[in-house]
Amino acid sequence: MSFDRSVKIAPSILSADFADFGREIAAVEAQGADWIHVDVMDGHFVPNLTFGPPLVKAIRKHVTTVMDVHLMIAPVDPYIAAFADAGADILTAHLEAGPHTHRTLQAIRAAGCKAGLALNPGTPVEAVIPLLDMVDLVCLMTVNPGFGGQKFIHSQVAQTAKLRAMIGNRPIHIEIDGGVTPETAPLVVAAGADVLVAGSAVFKGGSVTNPAPYGENMMAIRAAI
Ligand code: DX5
Ligand code: ZN
């Protein structure tokens, strides 16, 4: 994975057909997805449950781009090895998931993955300052994590700009997750984001047998930025 700051769209399979992830991933990649975003939820850190390492491992062979795994789980550390073994390229943990974020980021890199750090909307972005040399990606949540299809929280645009200034020339991606649409994407890109996670805005209107809307939806986001 080489680093660049071009804008990338990362469809979240949270909005795909859960019984058909392999074909959904192939369809959305064929339609132009840059990364595949995989939302892991534990029913404890967030009020929703999705899936664990065996499912991530099973879908890995269908991902030809970058598998971006967003861990909304607490604790995180006991599961890092399993998700790395499942083939995650990027493993993102939440700052709010436990008291030992520094250790968690070290463990993610030691397991051979790029290290991501996600921040909930209520967390000041300055909290990442001491960790900037330990992360490859910062994910700013623009909804409260747990569900797809929620409304974008506009106060995170100013946090994005602050984070962009803090990062300087470091090779760190700024990822935006939640409520990304053709209306909100330009705001965060102008503020410095380069990875746009989008679930409902990409998958709406399409299916594995009618994938063209996936491409049109991503084109609409790209055209807006
Ligand atoms: C929310 C997840 C997101 C979600 C985004 O907790 O982390 O990745 O799938 O969904 P949309 O794009 O529909 O807001
Ligand atoms: Zn996510």
Side-chain angles (χ1 to χ4, degrees):
M1 249 185 95
S2 61
F3 181 85
D4 73 73
R5 231 177 258 297
S6 63
V7 176
K8 293 159 278 294
I9 298 184
S12 163
I13 60 167
L14 190 62
S15 293
D17 177 355
F18 269 48
D20 210 354
F21 277 143
R23 290 202 299 162
E24 287 277 38
I25 289 166
V28 85
E29 287 192 341
Q31 292 293 324
D34 297 292
W35 292 4
I36 297 296
H37 185 82
V38 179
D39 285 309
V40 177
M41 303 186 185
D42 67 352
H44 165 74
F45 179 68
V46 290
N48 195 8
L49 274 168
T50 56
F51 41 72
L55 188 287
V56 176
K57 191 169 198 163
I59 64 177
R60 168 72 258 191
K61 57 182 172 291
H62 300 277
V63 178
T64 64
T65 56
V66 170
M67 189 157 78
D68 172 35
V69 178
H70 179 191
L71 299 177
M72 287 163 274
I73 66 174
V76 181
D77 295 8
Y79 303 101
I80 289 171
F83 283 105
D85 179 59
D89 294 301
I90 304 169
L91 262 187
T92 296
H94 268 262
L95 181 73
E96 305 85 1
H100 303 299
T101 308
H102 189 283
R103 174 185 290 153
T104 300
L105 294 169
Q106 275 182 326
I108 291 172
R109 281 189 170 170
C113 299
K114 297 281 185 192
L117 182 61
L119 269 58
N120 285 334
T123 300
V125 75
E126 288 79 2
V128 306
I129 291 174
L131 304 166
L132 279 175
D133 292 322
M134 306 192 61
V135 294
D136 303 293
L137 174 150
V138 178
C139 173
L140 288 186
M141 295 304 303
T142 37
V143 297
N144 287 298
F147 303 95
Q150 302 183 86
K151 207 170 156 333
F152 182 87
I153 297 172
H154 279 266
S155 55
Q156 289 295 79
V157 176
Q159 293 247 75
T160 306
K162 267 193 213 170
L163 176 63
R164 182 67 196 88
M166 282 160 37
I167 283 175
N169 290 328
R170 293 178 182 85
I172 300 174
H173 296 292
I174 299 181
E175 177 176 76
I176 299 296
D177 190 1
V180 170
T181 65
E183 289 68 45
T184 59
L187 308 175
V188 287
V189 169
D194 66 299
V195 185
L196 304 176
V197 175
S200 40
V202 168
F203 285 94
K204 69 168 186 210
S207 67
V208 293
T209 52
N210 175 34
Y214 298 166
E216 290 156 16
N217 293 338
M218 286 187 277
M219 283 302 290
I221 294 171
R222 285 191 214 279
I225 57 185

